[in-house]
Coordinates of all heavy atoms in Angstrom, one line a residue:
M1 N -9.3 -35.8 -53.0 CA -8.8 -35.2 -54.2 C -8.6 -33.7 -54.0 O -7.7 -33.2 -54.5 CB -9.8 -35.6 -55.3 CG -9.4 -35.0 -56.6 SD -8.1 -36.1 -57.3 CE -8.4 -35.8 -59.0
R2 N -9.7 -33.1 -53.4 CA -9.6 -31.7 -53.2 C -8.5 -31.3 -52.3 O -7.8 -30.2 -52.5 CB -10.9 -31.2 -52.6 CG -11.1 -29.8 -52.6 CD -12.5 -29.4 -52.2 NE -13.4 -29.5 -53.3 CZ -14.3 -28.6 -53.6 NH1 -14.6 -27.6 -52.8 NH2 -15.0 -28.8 -54.7
T3 N -8.2 -32.1 -51.3 CA -7.1 -31.7 -50.4 C -5.7 -31.8 -51.1 O -4.8 -31.0 -50.8 CB -7.1 -32.6 -49.1 OG1 -7.0 -34.0 -49.6 CG2 -8.3 -32.4 -48.3
R4 N -5.6 -32.7 -52.0 CA -4.4 -32.8 -52.8 C -4.1 -31.6 -53.7 O -3.0 -31.1 -53.8 CB -4.4 -34.1 -53.6 CG -4.2 -35.3 -52.8 CD -4.1 -36.5 -53.7 NE -4.0 -37.7 -52.9 CZ -3.9 -38.9 -53.4 NH1 -3.9 -39.1 -54.7 NH2 -3.8 -40.0 -52.6
W5 N -5.2 -31.1 -54.3 CA -5.1 -29.9 -55.1 C -4.8 -28.7 -54.3 O -4.0 -27.9 -54.6 CB -6.4 -29.7 -55.9 CG -6.5 -30.5 -57.1 CD1 -7.4 -31.5 -57.3 CD2 -5.7 -30.5 -58.3 NE1 -7.2 -32.1 -58.5 CE2 -6.2 -31.5 -59.1 CE3 -4.7 -29.7 -58.7 CZ2 -5.6 -31.7 -60.4 CZ3 -4.1 -29.9 -60.0 CH2 -4.6 -30.9 -60.8
R6 N -5.4 -28.6 -53.1 CA -5.1 -27.5 -52.2 C -3.6 -27.6 -51.7 O -3.0 -26.6 -51.7 CB -6.0 -27.6 -51.0 CG -5.9 -26.4 -50.1 CD -6.9 -26.3 -49.0 NE -8.2 -26.0 -49.6 CZ -9.3 -26.5 -49.2 NH1 -9.4 -27.3 -48.1 NH2 -10.5 -26.3 -49.8
A7 N -3.2 -28.8 -51.4 CA -1.8 -28.9 -51.0 C -0.8 -28.6 -52.1 O 0.2 -27.9 -51.9 CB -1.5 -30.3 -50.5
L8 N -1.2 -29.0 -53.3 CA -0.3 -28.6 -54.5 C -0.3 -27.1 -54.7 O 0.7 -26.5 -54.9 CB -0.8 -29.3 -55.7 CG -0.1 -29.0 -57.0 CD1 1.3 -29.5 -56.9 CD2 -0.8 -29.6 -58.2
A9 N -1.5 -26.5 -54.6 CA -1.6 -25.0 -54.8 C -0.8 -24.3 -53.7 O -0.1 -23.3 -54.0 CB -3.0 -24.6 -54.7
E10 N -0.9 -24.8 -52.4 CA -0.1 -24.1 -51.4 C 1.4 -24.3 -51.6 O 2.2 -23.4 -51.3 CB -0.5 -24.7 -50.0 CG -1.9 -24.2 -49.6 CD -2.4 -24.9 -48.3 OE1 -1.6 -25.7 -47.7 OE2 -3.5 -24.6 -47.9
G11 N 1.8 -25.5 -52.0 CA 3.2 -25.8 -52.3 C 3.7 -24.9 -53.4 O 4.9 -24.4 -53.3
L12 N 3.0 -24.7 -54.5 CA 3.4 -23.9 -55.6 C 3.5 -22.4 -55.1 O 4.4 -21.7 -55.5 CB 2.4 -24.0 -56.8 CG 2.6 -25.3 -57.6 CD1 1.5 -25.4 -58.6 CD2 3.9 -25.4 -58.2
H13 N 2.5 -22.0 -54.3 CA 2.5 -20.6 -53.8 C 3.8 -20.4 -53.0 O 4.5 -19.4 -53.2 CB 1.3 -20.4 -53.0 CG 1.2 -19.0 -52.4 ND1 0.9 -17.9 -53.1 CD2 1.5 -18.6 -51.1 CE1 1.0 -16.8 -52.3 NE2 1.3 -17.3 -51.1
E14 N 4.1 -21.3 -52.1 CA 5.3 -21.2 -51.3 C 6.6 -21.2 -52.2 O 7.5 -20.5 -51.9 CB 5.3 -22.3 -50.3 CG 6.5 -22.2 -49.3 CD 6.4 -20.9 -48.4 OE1 5.3 -20.4 -48.2 OE2 7.5 -20.4 -48.0
F15 N 6.6 -22.0 -53.2 CA 7.7 -22.1 -54.1 C 8.0 -20.8 -54.8 O 9.1 -20.4 -54.9 CB 7.5 -23.2 -55.1 CG 8.6 -23.3 -56.1 CD1 9.8 -23.9 -55.8 CD2 8.4 -22.9 -57.4 CE1 10.8 -24.1 -56.7 CE2 9.4 -23.0 -58.4 CZ 10.6 -23.6 -58.0
Y16 N 6.9 -20.1 -55.3 CA 7.1 -18.9 -56.0 C 7.2 -17.6 -55.1 O 7.9 -16.7 -55.5 CB 5.9 -18.7 -57.0 CG 6.0 -19.6 -58.2 CD1 5.1 -20.6 -58.4 CD2 7.1 -19.5 -59.1 CE1 5.2 -21.5 -59.4 CE2 7.2 -20.3 -60.2 CZ 6.3 -21.3 -60.3 OH 6.4 -22.2 -61.4
V17 N 6.5 -17.6 -54.0 CA 6.5 -16.5 -53.1 C 7.6 -16.5 -52.1 O 8.2 -15.5 -51.7 CB 5.1 -16.3 -52.4 CG1 5.1 -15.2 -51.4 CG2 4.1 -16.1 -53.5
G18 N 8.0 -17.7 -51.6 CA 9.0 -17.8 -50.6 C 10.3 -17.0 -50.8 O 10.7 -16.3 -49.9
P19 N 10.9 -17.1 -51.9 CA 12.2 -16.4 -52.1 C 12.1 -14.9 -52.1 O 13.0 -14.2 -51.8 CB 12.7 -16.9 -53.5 CG 12.0 -18.1 -53.7 CD 10.7 -18.0 -53.0
Y20 N 10.9 -14.4 -52.3 CA 10.7 -13.0 -52.4 C 9.9 -12.4 -51.2 O 9.5 -11.2 -51.2 CB 9.9 -12.6 -53.7 CG 10.5 -13.2 -54.9 CD1 10.0 -14.3 -55.6 CD2 11.7 -12.6 -55.4 CE1 10.7 -14.8 -56.7 CE2 12.3 -13.1 -56.5 CZ 11.8 -14.2 -57.2 OH 12.4 -14.7 -58.3
R21 N 9.8 -13.2 -50.2 CA 9.0 -12.7 -49.0 C 9.7 -11.5 -48.3 O 9.0 -10.5 -48.0 CB 9.0 -13.8 -48.0 CG 8.0 -13.5 -46.8 CD 7.7 -14.8 -46.0 NE 6.8 -15.6 -46.7 CZ 7.0 -16.9 -46.9 NH1 8.0 -17.5 -46.5 NH2 6.1 -17.6 -47.6
R22 N 11.0 -11.4 -48.3 CA 11.7 -10.3 -47.7 C 11.5 -9.1 -48.6 O 11.3 -8.0 -48.1 CB 13.2 -10.6 -47.5 CG 13.9 -9.5 -46.8 CD 15.4 -9.8 -46.6 NE 15.4 -11.0 -45.7 CZ 16.5 -11.7 -45.5 NH1 17.6 -11.5 -46.3 NH2 16.5 -12.7 -44.7
T23 N 11.6 -9.2 -49.9 CA 11.4 -8.1 -50.8 C 9.9 -7.6 -50.7 O 9.7 -6.4 -50.7 CB 11.6 -8.6 -52.2 OG1 12.9 -9.2 -52.3 CG2 11.5 -7.4 -53.2
F24 N 9.0 -8.5 -50.6 CA 7.6 -8.0 -50.4 C 7.4 -7.3 -49.1 O 6.7 -6.3 -49.0 CB 6.6 -9.2 -50.5 CG 6.5 -9.8 -51.8 CD1 6.2 -11.2 -51.9 CD2 6.7 -9.1 -53.0 CE1 6.1 -11.8 -53.2 CE2 6.6 -9.7 -54.2 CZ 6.3 -11.0 -54.3
A25 N 8.0 -7.8 -48.0 CA 7.9 -7.1 -46.7 C 8.5 -5.7 -46.8 O 8.0 -4.8 -46.2 CB 8.5 -7.9 -45.6
K26 N 9.7 -5.6 -47.4 CA 10.3 -4.3 -47.5 C 9.5 -3.3 -48.4 O 9.3 -2.1 -48.0 CB 11.7 -4.4 -48.1 CG 12.5 -3.1 -48.2 CD 13.8 -3.2 -48.8 CE 14.6 -2.0 -48.8 NZ 13.9 -0.8 -49.1
A27 N 8.9 -3.8 -49.5 CA 8.0 -2.9 -50.3 C 6.8 -2.5 -49.5 O 6.4 -1.3 -49.6 CB 7.6 -3.7 -51.5
Q28 N 6.2 -3.4 -48.7 CA 5.1 -3.0 -47.9 C 5.5 -2.0 -46.8 O 4.7 -1.0 -46.6 CB 4.5 -4.3 -47.2 CG 3.3 -4.0 -46.3 CD 2.1 -3.5 -47.1 OE1 1.8 -4.1 -48.2 NE2 1.4 -2.6 -46.6
R29 N 6.6 -2.2 -46.2 CA 7.1 -1.2 -45.2 C 7.4 0.2 -45.8 O 7.0 1.2 -45.2 CB 8.3 -1.7 -44.5 CG 8.8 -0.9 -43.3 CD 9.9 -1.5 -42.6 NE 11.1 -1.7 -43.4 CZ 11.7 -2.8 -43.7 NH1 11.2 -3.9 -43.2 NH2 12.7 -2.8 -44.5
D30 N 8.0 0.2 -47.0 CA 8.2 1.5 -47.7 C 6.9 2.2 -48.0 O 6.8 3.4 -47.9 CB 9.0 1.2 -49.0 CG 10.4 0.8 -48.7 OD1 10.9 1.0 -47.5 OD2 11.1 0.4 -49.6
E31 N 5.9 1.4 -48.5 CA 4.6 2.0 -48.8 C 3.9 2.5 -47.5 O 3.3 3.6 -47.6 CB 3.7 0.9 -49.5 CG 2.4 1.4 -50.0 CD 1.7 0.3 -50.8 OE1 2.3 -0.3 -51.6 OE2 0.5 0.1 -50.5
D32 N 4.0 1.8 -46.4 CA 3.4 2.2 -45.2 C 4.1 3.5 -44.7 O 3.5 4.4 -44.2 CB 3.5 1.1 -44.1 CG 2.6 0.0 -44.4 OD1 1.7 0.1 -45.2 OD2 2.8 -1.1 -43.8
D33 N 5.5 3.6 -44.9 CA 6.2 4.8 -44.5 C 5.8 6.0 -45.3 O 5.6 7.1 -44.8 CB 7.7 4.6 -44.6 CG 8.3 3.6 -43.6 OD1 7.6 3.3 -42.6 OD2 9.4 3.1 -43.8
L34 N 5.6 5.8 -46.6 CA 5.1 6.9 -47.4 C 3.7 7.4 -47.0 O 3.5 8.6 -46.9 CB 5.2 6.5 -48.9 CG 4.6 7.5 -49.9 CD1 5.5 8.7 -49.9 CD2 4.6 6.9 -51.3
F35 N 2.9 6.4 -46.7 CA 1.5 6.8 -46.3 C 1.5 7.5 -45.0 O 0.9 8.5 -44.8 CB 0.7 5.5 -46.2 CG -0.7 5.8 -45.7 CD1 -1.7 6.4 -46.5 CD2 -1.1 5.4 -44.4 CE1 -2.9 6.6 -46.0 CE2 -2.3 5.6 -43.9 CZ -3.3 6.2 -44.7
R36 N 2.4 7.1 -44.1 CA 2.5 7.7 -42.8 C 3.0 9.2 -43.0 O 2.6 10.1 -42.3 CB 3.4 6.9 -41.9 CG 3.5 7.5 -40.5 CD 4.3 6.6 -39.6 NE 3.9 5.2 -39.6 CZ 3.1 4.7 -38.7 NH1 2.5 5.4 -37.8 NH2 2.7 3.4 -38.8
M37 N 4.0 9.3 -43.8 CA 4.5 10.7 -44.1 C 3.5 11.6 -44.7 O 3.4 12.7 -44.4 CB 5.8 10.6 -45.0 CG 6.4 11.9 -45.1 SD 7.7 12.0 -46.4 CE 6.7 11.8 -47.9
L38 N 2.7 11.1 -45.6 CA 1.7 11.9 -46.2 C 0.6 12.3 -45.2 O 0.1 13.4 -45.3 CB 1.0 11.1 -47.4 CG 1.9 11.0 -48.6 CD1 1.2 10.1 -49.7 CD2 2.2 12.3 -49.2
V39 N 0.2 11.4 -44.4 CA -0.8 11.7 -43.4 C -0.3 12.7 -42.4 O -1.0 13.6 -42.0 CB -1.3 10.4 -42.6 CG1 -2.1 10.7 -41.4 CG2 -2.1 9.5 -43.6
M40 N 1.0 12.6 -42.0 CA 1.6 13.5 -41.0 C 2.3 14.7 -41.6 O 2.9 15.4 -40.9 CB 2.6 12.7 -40.1 CG 1.9 11.7 -39.3 SD 3.1 10.9 -38.2 CE 2.0 10.0 -37.1
S41 N 2.1 14.9 -42.9 CA 2.9 16.0 -43.5 C 2.5 17.3 -43.0 O 3.3 18.2 -42.8 CB 2.6 15.9 -45.1 OG 1.3 16.2 -45.3
E42 N 1.3 17.6 -42.6 CA 0.8 18.8 -42.1 C 1.5 19.1 -40.8 O 2.0 20.2 -40.5 CB -0.7 18.9 -41.9 CG -1.2 20.2 -41.5 CD -1.3 21.2 -42.7 OE1 -1.4 20.8 -43.8 OE2 -1.1 22.4 -42.4
M43 N 1.7 18.1 -40.0 CA 2.4 18.2 -38.7 C 3.9 18.4 -38.9 O 4.5 19.0 -38.0 CB 2.1 17.0 -37.8 CG 0.7 16.8 -37.4 SD 0.4 15.3 -36.6 CE 1.1 15.7 -35.0
L44 N 4.4 17.9 -40.0 CA 5.8 18.1 -40.2 C 6.2 19.4 -41.0 O 7.3 19.6 -41.3 CB 6.3 16.9 -41.1 CG 6.2 15.5 -40.4 CD1 6.5 14.4 -41.4 CD2 7.2 15.5 -39.2
G45 N 5.2 20.2 -41.3 CA 5.4 21.5 -41.9 C 5.2 21.5 -43.4 O 5.5 22.5 -44.0
V46 N 4.7 20.4 -44.0 CA 4.5 20.4 -45.4 C 3.0 20.6 -45.7 O 2.2 19.9 -45.1 CB 4.9 19.0 -46.0 CG1 4.6 19.0 -47.5 CG2 6.4 18.8 -45.7
P47 N 2.6 21.6 -46.5 CA 1.1 21.8 -46.7 C 0.5 20.6 -47.3 O 1.0 20.0 -48.3 CB 1.1 23.0 -47.6 CG 2.5 23.4 -47.9 CD 3.4 22.5 -47.2
N48 N -0.6 20.2 -46.8 CA -1.4 19.0 -47.3 C -2.8 19.4 -47.6 O -3.5 19.7 -46.6 CB -1.3 17.9 -46.2 CG -2.0 16.6 -46.7 OD1 -2.5 16.5 -47.8 ND2 -2.1 15.7 -45.8
P49 N -3.2 19.4 -48.8 CA -4.6 19.8 -49.1 C -5.6 18.9 -48.6 O -6.8 19.2 -48.5 CB -4.6 19.9 -50.6 CG -3.5 19.1 -51.1 CD -2.4 19.1 -50.0
A50 N -5.2 17.6 -48.3 CA -6.2 16.6 -47.8 C -6.1 16.5 -46.3 O -6.5 15.5 -45.7 CB -5.9 15.3 -48.5
S51 N -5.6 17.5 -45.6 CA -5.4 17.3 -44.1 C -6.7 17.2 -43.4 O -6.7 16.6 -42.3 CB -4.6 18.5 -43.6 OG -5.3 19.7 -43.8
Y52 N -7.8 17.7 -43.9 CA -9.1 17.6 -43.3 C -9.5 16.1 -43.2 O -10.0 15.6 -42.2 CB -10.1 18.4 -44.1 CG -11.5 18.2 -43.5 CD1 -11.9 18.9 -42.4 CD2 -12.4 17.4 -44.2 CE1 -13.2 18.7 -41.9 CE2 -13.7 17.2 -43.7 CZ -14.1 17.9 -42.5 OH -15.3 17.7 -42.0
Y53 N -9.1 15.3 -44.2 CA -9.5 13.9 -44.3 C -8.5 13.1 -43.6 O -8.8 12.0 -43.0 CB -9.6 13.5 -45.7 CG -10.7 14.3 -46.5 CD1 -10.3 15.2 -47.4 CD2 -12.0 14.1 -46.2 CE1 -11.2 16.0 -48.1 CE2 -13.0 14.8 -46.9 CZ -12.6 15.8 -47.8 OH -13.5 16.5 -48.5
T54 N -7.2 13.4 -43.6 CA -6.2 12.6 -43.0 C -6.1 12.8 -41.5 O -5.5 12.0 -40.8 CB -4.8 12.9 -43.6 OG1 -4.5 14.3 -43.5 CG2 -4.8 12.5 -45.1
A55 N -6.7 13.9 -41.0 CA -6.6 14.2 -39.5 C -7.3 13.0 -38.7 O -6.9 12.8 -37.6 CB -7.3 15.5 -39.2
E56 N -8.3 12.4 -39.3 CA -9.0 11.3 -38.6 C -8.0 10.1 -38.5 O -8.3 9.2 -37.6 CB -10.2 10.9 -39.4 CG -11.2 11.9 -39.5 CD -12.4 11.5 -40.4 OE1 -12.4 10.4 -40.8 OE2 -13.3 12.4 -40.5
L57 N -7.0 10.0 -39.3 CA -6.1 8.8 -39.2 C -5.0 9.0 -38.2 O -4.3 8.0 -37.9 CB -5.5 8.5 -40.6 CG -6.6 8.2 -41.7 CD1 -5.9 8.2 -43.0 CD2 -7.3 6.9 -41.4
L58 N -4.7 10.2 -37.8 CA -3.6 10.4 -36.9 C -3.6 9.6 -35.6 O -2.6 9.0 -35.3 CB -3.5 11.9 -36.5 CG -3.1 12.8 -37.7 CD1 -3.1 14.3 -37.3 CD2 -1.7 12.5 -38.1
P59 N -4.7 9.4 -34.9 CA -4.7 8.6 -33.7 C -4.3 7.1 -34.0 O -3.6 6.5 -33.2 CB -6.1 8.6 -33.1 CG -6.6 9.9 -33.7 CD -6.0 10.1 -35.0
V60 N -4.6 6.6 -35.1 CA -4.3 5.3 -35.5 C -2.8 5.2 -35.8 O -2.1 4.2 -35.4 CB -5.1 4.8 -36.7 CG1 -4.6 3.4 -37.2 CG2 -6.5 4.9 -36.5
L61 N -2.2 6.2 -36.4 CA -0.8 6.2 -36.8 C 0.2 6.5 -35.6 O 1.4 6.3 -35.7 CB -0.5 7.1 -37.9 CG -1.3 6.8 -39.2 CD1 -1.0 7.8 -40.3 CD2 -0.9 5.4 -39.7
Y62 N -0.3 7.1 -34.5 CA 0.6 7.4 -33.4 C 1.2 6.2 -32.8 O 2.3 6.3 -32.2 CB -0.2 8.2 -32.4 CG -0.3 9.7 -32.7 CD1 -1.5 10.4 -32.3 CD2 0.6 10.4 -33.4 CE1 -1.6 11.7 -32.6 CE2 0.5 11.7 -33.7 CZ -0.6 12.4 -33.3 OH -0.7 13.7 -33.5
D63 N 0.6 5.1 -32.8 CA 1.1 3.9 -32.2 C 2.5 3.5 -32.7 O 3.3 3.1 -32.0 CB 0.1 2.7 -32.4 CG -1.2 2.9 -31.6 OD1 -1.2 3.7 -30.6 OD2 -2.2 2.2 -32.0
G64 N 2.6 3.6 -34.0 CA 3.9 3.2 -34.6 C 4.8 4.3 -35.0 O 5.8 4.2 -35.7
F65 N 4.5 5.5 -34.4 CA 5.3 6.7 -34.8 C 6.8 6.6 -34.4 O 7.6 7.0 -35.1 CB 4.7 8.0 -34.1 CG 5.3 9.2 -34.5 CD1 5.2 9.8 -35.8 CD2 6.2 9.9 -33.6 CE1 5.8 10.9 -36.1 CE2 6.8 11.1 -34.0 CZ 6.6 11.6 -35.2
H66 N 7.0 6.1 -33.2 CA 8.4 6.0 -32.7 C 9.3 5.1 -33.7 O 10.4 5.5 -34.1 CB 8.5 5.4 -31.3 CG 9.9 5.3 -30.8 ND1 10.6 6.4 -30.5 CD2 10.6 4.2 -30.5 CE1 11.8 6.0 -30.0 NE2 11.8 4.7 -30.1
E67 N 8.8 4.0 -34.1 CA 9.5 3.1 -35.0 C 9.7 3.8 -36.3 O 10.8 3.7 -37.0 CB 8.8 1.8 -35.2 CG 8.8 0.9 -34.0 CD 7.7 1.2 -33.0 OE1 6.7 1.9 -33.4 OE2 7.8 0.8 -31.9
W68 N 8.7 4.6 -36.8 CA 8.8 5.2 -38.1 C 9.9 6.3 -38.1 O 10.7 6.3 -39.0 CB 7.4 5.9 -38.4 CG 7.5 6.7 -39.7 CD1 7.5 6.2 -40.9 CD2 7.5 8.1 -39.8 NE1 7.6 7.2 -41.8 CE2 7.6 8.4 -41.1 CE3 7.5 9.1 -38.9 CZ2 7.6 9.7 -41.6 CZ3 7.6 10.4 -39.3 CH2 7.6 10.7 -40.7
H69 N 9.9 7.2 -37.1 CA 10.9 8.2 -37.1 C 12.3 7.7 -36.9 O 13.2 8.3 -37.4 CB 10.5 9.4 -36.2 CG 10.9 9.3 -34.8 ND1 12.1 9.4 -34.3 CD2 10.1 9.0 -33.7 CE1 12.1 9.2 -33.0 NE2 10.9 9.0 -32.6
R70 N 12.4 6.6 -36.2 CA 13.7 6.0 -36.0 C 14.2 5.4 -37.3 O 15.4 5.5 -37.7 CB 13.7 4.9 -34.9 CG 13.4 5.5 -33.5 CD 14.4 6.3 -33.0 NE 15.6 5.5 -32.7 CZ 16.7 5.9 -32.2 NH1 16.8 7.1 -31.8 NH2 17.7 5.1 -32.0
R71 N 13.3 4.8 -38.0 CA 13.6 4.1 -39.3 C 13.9 5.2 -40.4 O 14.7 5.0 -41.3 CB 12.4 3.3 -39.8 CG 12.8 2.3 -40.9 CD 11.7 1.3 -41.1 NE 10.3 1.8 -41.2 CZ 9.4 1.5 -40.3 NH1 9.7 0.7 -39.3 NH2 8.2 1.9 -40.4
M72 N 13.3 6.4 -40.3 CA 13.6 7.5 -41.2 C 14.9 8.2 -40.9 O 15.3 9.1 -41.6 CB 12.5 8.5 -41.2 CG 11.2 8.0 -41.7 SD 11.3 7.5 -43.5 CE 11.1 5.8 -43.5
G73 N 15.6 7.8 -39.8 CA 16.8 8.4 -39.5 C 16.8 9.6 -38.5 O 17.8 10.3 -38.3
M74 N 15.6 9.9 -37.9 CA 15.5 11.0 -37.0 C 15.7 10.5 -35.6 O 15.0 9.6 -35.1 CB 14.0 11.6 -37.1 CG 13.7 12.1 -38.5 SD 12.0 12.7 -38.5 CE 11.4 11.9 -39.9
E75 N 16.7 11.1 -34.9 CA 17.0 10.6 -33.6 C 15.9 10.9 -32.6 O 15.6 10.1 -31.8 CB 18.3 11.4 -33.1 CG 18.9 10.9 -31.8 CD 19.4 9.4 -31.9 OE1 19.8 9.0 -33.0 OE2 19.3 8.8 -30.9
R76 N 15.3 12.1 -32.7 CA 14.2 12.4 -31.8 C 12.9 12.7 -32.7 O 13.0 12.9 -33.9 CB 14.5 13.6 -31.0 CG 15.8 13.4 -30.2 CD 15.7 14.3 -28.9 NE 16.9 14.2 -28.1 CZ 17.1 13.2 -27.2 NH1 16.1 12.4 -26.9 NH2 18.2 13.2 -26.5
S77 N 11.8 12.8 -32.0 CA 10.6 13.0 -32.7 C 10.6 14.4 -33.3 O 11.0 15.4 -32.7 CB 9.4 13.0 -31.7 OG 8.2 13.4 -32.3
P78 N 10.2 14.6 -34.6 CA 10.2 15.9 -35.2 C 9.1 16.7 -34.8 O 9.0 17.9 -35.2 CB 10.2 15.5 -36.7 CG 9.5 14.2 -36.8 CD 9.9 13.5 -35.5
L79 N 8.1 16.2 -34.1 CA 6.9 17.0 -33.7 C 7.1 17.5 -32.3 O 7.4 16.8 -31.4 CB 5.7 16.0 -33.7 CG 5.5 15.3 -35.1 CD1 4.3 14.4 -34.9 CD2 5.3 16.2 -36.2
E80 N 6.9 18.8 -32.2 CA 7.0 19.5 -30.9 C 5.9 19.0 -29.9 O 6.2 18.9 -28.7 CB 7.0 21.0 -31.1 CG 8.1 21.6 -31.8 CD 8.0 23.1 -32.1 OE1 7.0 23.6 -31.5 OE2 8.8 23.6 -32.8
E81 N 4.7 18.8 -30.4 CA 3.6 18.5 -29.5 C 3.5 17.0 -29.2 O 2.7 16.6 -28.4 CB 2.3 19.0 -30.1 CG 1.9 18.4 -31.4 CD 2.5 19.1 -32.6 OE1 3.1 20.1 -32.5 OE2 2.3 18.6 -33.7
Y82 N 4.3 16.2 -29.9 CA 4.2 14.8 -29.6 C 5.6 14.2 -29.4 O 6.4 14.1 -30.3 CB 3.6 14.0 -30.8 CG 3.4 12.6 -30.6 CD1 2.4 12.2 -29.8 CD2 4.2 11.6 -31.2 CE1 2.2 10.8 -29.5 CE2 4.0 10.3 -31.0 CZ 3.0 9.9 -30.1 OH 2.8 8.6 -29.9
R83 N 5.9 14.0 -28.1 CA 7.2 13.4 -27.7 C 7.1 11.9 -27.4 O 6.2 11.6 -26.6 CB 7.7 14.1 -26.5 CG 8.0 15.6 -26.8 CD 9.3 15.7 -27.6 NE 9.5 17.1 -27.9 CZ 10.2 17.5 -28.9 NH1 10.8 16.7 -29.7 NH2 10.4 18.8 -29.1
C84 N 7.8 11.1 -28.1 CA 7.7 9.7 -27.8 C 9.0 9.1 -27.3 O 9.1 8.0 -26.8 CB 7.3 8.9 -29.1 SG 8.5 9.1 -30.4
C85 N 10.1 9.9 -27.4 CA 11.4 9.4 -26.9 C 11.8 10.0 -25.6 O 11.5 11.1 -25.3 CB 12.5 9.8 -28.0 SG 12.1 9.3 -29.6

């Protein structure tokens, strides 16, 4: 009985979420891009009052930096000290 309810719940979830999966993925990517820009704003020349706290996150964000700046329309890395291309 429990497995039938679980299967029904999964089916309903897929029915309602399935058509919007691409929209949710785009919204998540946009949110991640904004977060990355806020964390790297000091390096991009924008004053950031929270740079003391966001500096710890920079090594984590460097992994996806190349995809981010290409998605933002920058042909080359905007950072002088960090070349990825």
Side-chain angles (χ1 to χ4, degrees):
M1 180 79 153
R2 190 172 277 223
T3 58
R4 288 185 182 179
W5 282 111
R6 184 173 293 146
L8 177 65
E10 289 174 2
L12 287 174
H13 178 76
E14 186 63 30
F15 177 76
Y16 287 111
V17 174
Y20 303 106
R21 189 168 286 130
R22 184 177 295 162
T23 305
F24 291 149
K26 184 179 181 325
Q28 180 66 42
R29 189 175 59 240
D30 290 345
E31 189 174 309
D32 291 343
D33 289 343
L34 177 63
F35 176 73
R36 186 177 305 270
M37 187 192 66
L38 289 174
V39 169
M40 294 187 167
S41 64
E42 188 73 31
M43 296 173 72
L44 295 170
V46 178
N48 182 4
S51 63
Y52 176 77
Y53 301 105
T54 59
E56 296 176 3
L57 298 173
L58 288 174
V60 176
L61 296 178
Y62 279 148
D63 292 338
F65 183 74
H66 180 69
E67 292 84 18
W68 175 75
H69 81 77
R70 298 291 293 183
R71 196 168 46 247
M72 293 295 115
M74 297 178 233
E75 186 66 29
R76 301 210 183 271
S77 172
L79 307 176
E80 294 176 5
E81 63 273 356
Y82 186 73
R83 296 284 178 203
C84 62
C85 303

